[in-house]
Amino acid sequence: MEKLIVANWKLNPITFKEAKDLFGAVKKHAKVKNTQVVICPPFVYLPLLKGLSLGSQNISSEQKGAFTGEISALQLKDLNIEYVIIGHSERRKHFSETNETVNKKIKMALEAGLKVIFCIGENEGEEKNTILQNQITKGLADVLPAQMEQVVIAYEPVWAIGTGKNCSTEETKSAVESIKNTLISLYGSQIAENTRILYGGSVNSTNSAEYLKNGEVNGLLIGGASLKPDEFIAIVKSTE
Ligand code: PGA
């Protein structure tokens, strides 16, 4: 299975010049066979960056019309954007996104022909299996088996995001198993096996290879380290 390395730039960088320089460095050096690199910059930079797969960090739960300030899945598709991150914990926390909002957005994205990077993960102290099962079941409600080819699941324990406290490969493996079990119950074992699962949360060039080797994941979702060109390029190269 092709590996997937996704850069989530979040609300960075502040100037287009910085965005262009970062993107240019990654485009030039982060090429590895059997690994797809996806850059998810802020919306404003999406139409200006060319030459690598792109994803947005969010979409509107509405398709079109009187929704001031929103961005539609159809508009992104029209700009040849390939992916969208949905359900990131920062959106759940700071913008009150619920499993129901996440589900609406996932269906909207899939109907528009975008691929979805569906983020799930427990908070510190929460019972992982229950949370993951609930987030997956509600987030994927009414998503058809045939649409699952376009869905990637990103396991991001909230306590590991931006903290430097990355999840052990043992714990990651157990989360992947739990995710697969839920997918089996919803879609059967074939789809569960074919669905790509990423890990995210304090990944850097020192720990990235370990996740791919021993964490049972098919790729990584990178926040902070994706803003440092050398670090991100080293992460992509570690998939070799
Ligand atoms: P981090 O963020 O790599 O900075 O921990 C990951 C994410 O939020 O997707």
Side-chain angles (χ1 to χ4, degrees):
M1 200 184 274
E2 189 186 45
K3 296 192 189 87
L4 189 60
I5 304 293
V6 183
N8 176 11
W9 288 2
K10 309 191 181 184
L11 190 46
N12 303 291
I14 291 305
T15 66
F16 177 52
K17 175 162 187 333
E18 289 169 277
K20 213 168 46 177
D21 289 350
L22 174 57
F23 190 84
V26 173
K27 187 164 90 173
K28 190 156 169 213
H29 299 289
K31 282 198 196 99
V32 170
K33 238 174 102 184
N34 281 328
T35 297
Q36 184 184 20
V37 175
V38 180
I39 307 292
C40 302
F43 283 122
V44 286
Y45 302 138
L46 281 171
L48 305 173
L49 301 171
K50 308 256 180 256
L52 284 170
S53 296
L54 293 170
S56 71
Q57 300 168 17
N58 182 29
I59 50 163
S60 176
S61 56
E62 302 297 335
Q63 197 177 63
K64 61 185 255 199
F67 301 100
T68 303
E70 291 293 275
I71 292 182
S72 157
L74 292 175
Q75 293 165 332
L76 294 165
K77 182 65 188 172
D78 184 57
L79 291 177
N80 292 320
I81 305 308
E82 191 174 345
Y83 285 91
V84 54
I85 298 173
I86 297 181
H88 191 280
S89 65
E90 286 154 17
R91 296 227 42 100
R92 293 178 192 258
K93 180 172 173 212
H94 302 300
F95 302 95
S96 310
E97 287 197 7
T98 62
N99 288 325
E100 288 67 33
T101 330
V102 169
N103 175 244
K104 210 172 160 194
K105 290 186 177 190
I106 289 177
K107 288 188 287 186
M108 189 65 76
L110 292 171
E111 274 160 34
L114 297 173
K115 295 177 189 157
V116 171
I117 298 162
F118 169 30
C119 298
I120 54 173
E122 79 286 1
N123 283 293
E124 182 118 61
E126 281 180 338
E127 212 280 303
K128 182 170 67 192
N129 294 335
T130 317
I131 297 287
L132 297 182
Q133 189 185 23
N134 191 40
Q135 288 178 337
I136 296 171
T137 309
K138 293 192 172 148
L140 294 179
D142 303 321
V143 171
L144 304 172
Q147 292 178 305
M148 284 303 290
E149 259 178 50
Q150 312 300 320
V151 176
V152 177
I153 296 187
Y155 171 58
E156 296 206 303
V158 182
W159 50 268
I161 297 178
T163 57
K165 285 198 287 177
N166 61 301
C167 188
S168 71
T169 46
E170 275 311 306
E171 281 179 88
T172 307
K173 242 161 84 174
S174 98
V176 169
E177 199 184 310
S178 163
I179 292 166
K180 288 207 166 136
N181 285 337
T182 303
L183 289 175
I184 289 171
S185 70
L186 295 174
Y187 296 104
S189 51
Q190 182 86 42
I191 288 179
E193 253 339 284
N194 291 343
T195 303
R196 280 194 285 187
I197 301 177
L198 314 183
Y199 168 76
S202 298
V203 176
N204 55 40
S205 62
T206 314
N207 60 30
S208 56
E210 181 70 13
Y211 285 107
L212 298 165
K213 202 165 144 228
N214 297 325
E216 301 285 329
V217 293
N218 315 105
L220 302 164
L221 178 50
I222 322 284
S226 72
L227 297 169
K228 302 177 199 144
D230 292 348
E231 184 66 6
F232 186 68
I233 291 160
I235 292 172
V236 174
K237 294 206 162 145
S238 76
T239 64
E240 260 178 329

